[in-house]
Amino acid sequence: MSLGEVLLKRGIITAAQLEQATAARKPSERIEHCLVRLGLIKERDYLQVYSEELAIPLIDLSDVAIDTELLKQTPSKVVHRDRVIPIDRHDGTIRVATSNPFNLYAFDELRMLMGAKIETVLATSEEISRVIKEHFGVGGHTVEAMIGQSAVEVVSEVDADNADLIEQAQEATVVKLVNEILLEAIRDRASDIHIEPYEDDLKIRYRVDGVLHTTNVPPEIRRFHAAIVSRIKILSNLNIAEKRLPQDGGFKIKAENRDIDLRISIIPTAFGGAVVMRILDKQSAMLALRELGLIDEAHEGVEHLIKQPYGIVLVTGPTGSGKTTTLYAALNSIKNDTIKILTIEDPIEYYLDGIQQVQIKPHIGLTFASGLRSFLRHDPDVILVGEIRDLETAEVAINASLTGHLVFSTLHTNDAVTATTRLLDMGVEPFLVSSAISGVLAQRLVRRICTSCREEYTPEPVDIPSDFKLEPGQKLYRGAGCRECRHTGYRGRLGIFELLPVGDEIREMILQRKSATDIQNAARANGLKLMREDGWTKVVKGTTTVEEIVRVTKVDAVALSR
């Protein structure tokens, strides 16, 4: 009986799915691999069948203590080529993890090279790749191949001409290495890739869920730093010979069946070009407002604001706090064939169907302010301004709202009430601010507890900040760490919010140029819920942790005194 028939008999797949896989099967492709490629089964499903039929144990490598000394003695070429991981040695027998129990040549080669009997166990290829990355580094096999190509190491730095740089960057091994770095980041759900050169080292770090993680790479990768940067510059259509000035660019790739945009920034440091690549996945922009983490009054308040016919709705927070995603979610929720939406952005992060988007180009005079003026002649109903940076943009945006347009924009302020005083500080007249602003939403991003390993616990009162109200014996939640979240306890992010609707009392205070503290006190009396309080609500509900709220917010002195 073939493996496909076994899977069918066990009810893991249907007859229609088997027929679909048989038709889609590539030459020399195993039926189980085709089923996984089509998303009809998971690799662990067919490995379980292998395990029972061949009497080979199926293990979880994350639960196994790997003998690192044994791994160091294993030729890396065999590990990379055959995707096998020696786990431990007992009584002259080495246990080897593989996802392909039919690769007898690899086991025979290991037996000869290691001088020991080989006992196989099964593990998923994802787990094997994780262990290889952990111990040999991302792109270890590629770097090893690159080293093998040359017996001469260049010690002194010399300026190569353009042709040499292009030739280095276009070599198949360099192309493959850069692809591996990108693919690993996408698999890890990273939002940014940081390539940082030092005197004797090259660090590659991925920002996952807002926190940077150093990725293990082979130490020899430092020698190929120039080729890596040149490859990235060629992809981004940048001048590869320019090493003295910062450069910005971007390119698009298709990976994991998704279209992904990459935004590139390169700065010259003492030891070469440092690169940051922002990964923009269009799927992450297609969220509904409730999926962002908006709950209760904040969700109802935002829904009310974005359905108004005119006025300005501001979203505030530092860089990387999810402001653009929130604005796109708002646009997605209101767009339809009866209204016209225009956006002017720097840069356009995601392209949205049914919405006209414009990229600013200051070097030719297309700024936020000039673009906005032109927008008003295009009869829009809703306008999104990427950011209010100066008085001119602020005044044009306010005039647009006062002439019957709904305007969305962002400001870099720490909380909601400071947005009004920031506009006054720019030089906008108080009567314009009070008339135009409908509401301000301040936000931060916190990591979400992994649902696969979430556990309940009783916190110690000393570990809870004094402004959080912990009931005696109250239970909270945390992530224990598992394979799904790479043992961090967190997977994904959500927002914590602070919504300030601008009513009559707040308008009057803006006209009188009252301080942000006075405005906040009045707003609190009217029910304003601070970001930190919204965060605590989400801690109690079990979606995030106290540590995350403390990491991104500070104690409000007024709230503490209550």
Side-chain angles (χ1 to χ4, degrees), residues 112-406:
M112 289 187 292
L113 291 170
M114 305 293 286
K117 291 181 181 177
I118 300 297
E119 178 187 316
T120 56
V121 294
L122 294 173
T124 65
S125 54
E126 183 184 349
E127 290 170 10
I128 289 171
S129 294
R130 177 184 58 78
V131 173
I132 291 174
K133 187 187 83 169
E134 188 179 324
H135 293 279
F136 294 92
V138 174
H141 181 48
T142 307
V143 171
E144 192 177 79
M146 290 160 76
I147 293 168
Q149 288 174 1
S150 174
V152 179
E153 179 181 355
V154 179
V155 177
S156 61
E157 286 288 334
V158 294
D159 283 337
D161 63 25
N162 253 7
D164 288 344
L165 283 171
I166 292 171
E167 189 177 344
Q168 288 175 23
Q170 298 288 47
E171 284 181 4
T173 45
V174 176
V175 170
K176 185 180 178 186
L177 179 58
V178 172
N179 289 350
E180 285 179 22
I181 291 169
L182 290 173
L183 195 57
E184 190 63 35
I186 292 163
R187 285 174 179 161
D188 281 358
R189 299 175 299 105
S191 60
D192 300 85
I193 304 170
H194 294 243
I195 300 175
E196 304 166 337
Y198 298 94
E199 187 172 10
D200 300 310
D201 192 15
L202 181 69
K203 275 190 180 177
I204 296 180
R205 299 197 286 172
Y206 297 153
R207 190 178 293 280
V208 181
D209 294 336
V211 178
L212 280 170
H213 299 271
T214 300
T215 297
N216 186 25
V217 292
E220 298 86 357
I221 200 172
R222 178 67 180 90
R223 290 163 51 186
F224 307 101
H225 168 243
I228 292 169
V229 174
S230 295
R231 171 64 182 163
I232 293 167
K233 284 184 177 180
I234 288 170
L235 288 171
S236 309
N237 204 22
L238 300 175
N239 180 2
I240 67 169
E242 179 56 76
K243 298 181 180 179
R244 302 162 300 166
L245 296 172
Q247 291 181 276
D248 294 312
F251 59 95
K252 296 181 180 182
I253 62 170
K254 191 174 184 73
E256 306 277 300
N257 292 319
R258 306 203 305 269
D259 291 319
I260 294 169
D261 289 346
L262 288 111
R263 214 165 66 211
I264 311 300
S265 179
I266 302 173
I267 58 172
T269 70
F271 300 108
V275 182
V276 173
M277 295 189 272
R278 169 67 59 89
I279 299 170
L280 300 172
D281 184 354
K282 191 174 181 180
Q283 287 181 356
S284 66
M286 299 299 124
L287 297 175
L289 285 170
R290 196 171 284 281
E291 291 176 294
L292 301 175
L294 280 163
I295 55 173
D296 306 331
E297 299 92 347
H299 182 258
E300 291 171 13
V302 170
E303 288 276 10
H304 173 73
L305 285 174
I306 66 177
K307 288 174 181 172
Q308 297 304 300
Y310 56 85
I312 293 184
V313 178
L314 291 174
V315 180
T316 76
T319 302
S321 59
K323 300 187 296 296
T324 303
T325 302
T326 299
L327 288 174
Y328 283 165
L331 292 181
N332 269 326
S333 70
I334 63 173
K335 75 173 183 180
N336 59 60
D337 291 339
T338 66
I339 63 172
K340 177 159 185 170
I341 302 175
L342 294 174
T343 79
I344 183 160
E345 305 170 60
D346 181 30
I348 297 171
E349 294 198 8
Y350 306 100
Y351 296 96
L352 306 175
D353 291 333
I355 295 173
Q356 298 288 300
Q357 296 171 271
V358 176
Q359 163 80 52
I360 73 163
K361 296 172 183 172
H363 59 284
I364 59 169
L366 178 54
T367 62
F368 282 125
S370 66
L372 262 176
R373 288 193 185 93
S374 299
F375 276 13
L376 298 180
R377 294 191 286 273
H378 272 251
D379 187 30
D381 298 288
V382 180
I383 298 171
L384 184 149
V385 185
E387 184 185 343
I388 294 178
R389 295 176 179 171
D390 51 42
L391 174 60
E392 187 182 12
T393 306
E395 287 181 336
V396 178
I398 286 171
N399 287 331
S401 73
L402 294 176
T403 52
H405 302 87
L406 180 60

Side-chain angles (χ1 to χ4, degrees), residues 45-86:
D45 293 332
Y46 75 74
L47 287 180
Q48 188 65 54
V49 175
Y50 281 169
S51 175
E52 294 171 17
E53 297 288 327
L54 303 174
I56 302 174
L58 175 62
I59 65 167
D60 186 337
L61 282 179
S62 58
D63 297 333
V64 175
I66 292 173
D67 186 339
T68 53
E69 288 304 314
L70 176 63
L71 208 54
K72 287 176 185 175
Q73 296 166 17
T74 308
S76 60
K77 181 180 178 181
V78 178
V79 172
H80 287 300
R81 185 192 65 207
D82 298 314
R83 316 300 285 176
V84 292
I85 294 289

